[in-house]
Amino acid sequence: MDAKPADFFIGVADLFAIILPGALLSYLALEAATQNVEVADYIVGSMRHFREGTAQGWVAFALSSYLLGHFASLIGAFFLDPFYGKTFVPRKKKENGDRLFYCARRSRNKALGLGDDGPTPYKWARMSIRLRNAGAMQEIDRLEADSKFFRSLTVVLVILAVGIVCETISQPGTIWGVPLMAASRSVASGVVASQPGAIWRVLLKGAIRVSICIIFARLSFWRFSDLRWKAAEAAYLAAVAPGETAA
């Protein structure tokens, strides 16, 4: 059986939305865990196959990337999709209107004979296009895959920022005074309660790192929102213009 373009784009969507963010999360989780003296020996020992580049290690890393990628996508869908609907969508509607959405909704109601209780206009538009002409879905699938990648990347950056905050406040001599994640590294660097200047430098460094993560998270969310809007508009346009999408 010959491979169709739609089959290839399903793999691309999985790669961008699941595998790549999951691989980044797996790497960050491994690096964070190995900084904890209590679990470092266990983690390094259990991941020695990966660090040595063996087949077992790569299989474990791939499975971890797939699993964590799904978790990141789930968190993004639960938190960022509603936030997108409450922030980005109203602004775009105010700037450009939303005529394509209403046209797609009327076409959906006419085609299905249902009211507003049926599937969303976007889901109907995607399925309608896929049934009529799968080739027309290539651009929409590409936009959706890219948007899901940046949605998951936003989640990864937020998790990284939280990890940096926990690492920073856990340094001995800070107002918390109890090491949580990076005791070995902080002691080795000489950050103790008797060095207030060093403590402030650690806090300043942590604040800068968190600020960078927040900036990139904001940019990633903006890119996700823009791509998500473009994918929806392209689907609506293709669905309500059968003369353009007919085979």
Side-chain angles (χ1 to χ4, degrees):
M1 181 181 294
D2 295 335
K4 295 184 286 241
D7 297 333
F8 175 73
F9 272 91
I10 291 175
V12 169
D14 290 337
L15 174 66
F16 278 86
I18 304 298
I19 302 299
L20 293 182
L24 181 57
L25 265 181
S26 297
Y27 172 78
L28 293 175
L30 177 62
E31 289 300 312
T34 52
Q35 300 303 322
N36 190 318
V37 293
E38 296 181 358
V39 299
D41 292 339
Y42 172 77
I43 295 294
V44 173
S46 61
M47 294 298 291
R48 66 183 184 278
H49 295 295
F50 167 68
R51 290 182 173 274
E52 294 172 358
T54 62
Q56 299 95 317
W58 284 112
V59 170
F61 185 78
L63 292 177
S64 174
S65 300
Y66 185 76
L67 182 63
L68 293 179
H70 271 287
F71 289 157
S73 180
L74 179 63
I75 294 172
F78 186 81
F79 289 103
L80 298 183
D81 283 0
F83 190 67
Y84 157 81
K86 294 179 180 179
T87 58
F88 191 85
V89 172
R91 182 172 64 84
K92 294 294 289 188
K93 287 183 178 180
K94 185 177 180 181
E95 293 177 355
N96 306 319
D98 203 15
R99 297 182 60 184
L100 286 175
F101 170 80
Y102 293 112
C103 290
R105 187 172 65 178
R106 286 196 299 268
S107 299
R108 179 207 62 180
N109 294 344
K110 182 178 179 180
L112 301 179
L114 300 174
D116 293 335
D117 295 333
T120 64
Y122 181 62
K123 290 182 179 180
W124 170 82
R126 283 178 51 84
M127 184 56 64
S128 177
I129 299 167
R130 196 175 297 277
L131 291 175
R132 292 204 313 261
N133 186 1
M137 284 296 300
Q138 293 185 15
E139 180 66 15
I140 299 173
D141 285 338
R142 184 186 66 82
L143 290 171
E144 185 169 337
D146 289 343
S147 71
K148 289 182 177 179
F149 167 76
F150 282 101
R151 184 182 67 184
S152 296
L153 181 60
T154 303
V155 174
V156 173
L157 290 170
V158 171
I159 293 175
L160 178 59
V162 173
I164 293 173
V165 171
C166 294
E167 177 186 1
T168 302
I169 66 176
S170 67
Q171 303 285 358
T174 61
I175 57 176
W176 281 265
V178 179
L180 299 177
M181 294 177 59
S184 60
R185 184 164 59 185
S186 62
V187 171
S189 62
V191 181
V192 294
S194 60
Q195 296 177 306
I199 295 171
W200 282 111
R201 285 195 296 271
V202 169
L203 294 176
L204 178 60
K205 181 180 177 181
I208 294 175
R209 294 164 65 193
V210 171
S211 299
I212 293 174
C213 289
I214 292 175
I215 291 173
F216 279 100
R218 180 65 183 88
L219 292 174
S220 295
F221 177 77
W222 175 81
R223 186 56 177 162
F224 149 68
S225 301
D226 184 61
L227 291 169
R228 177 73 172 269
W229 178 266
K230 289 180 179 178
E233 292 290 284
Y236 299 151
L237 180 60
V240 300
E244 299 292 331
T245 58

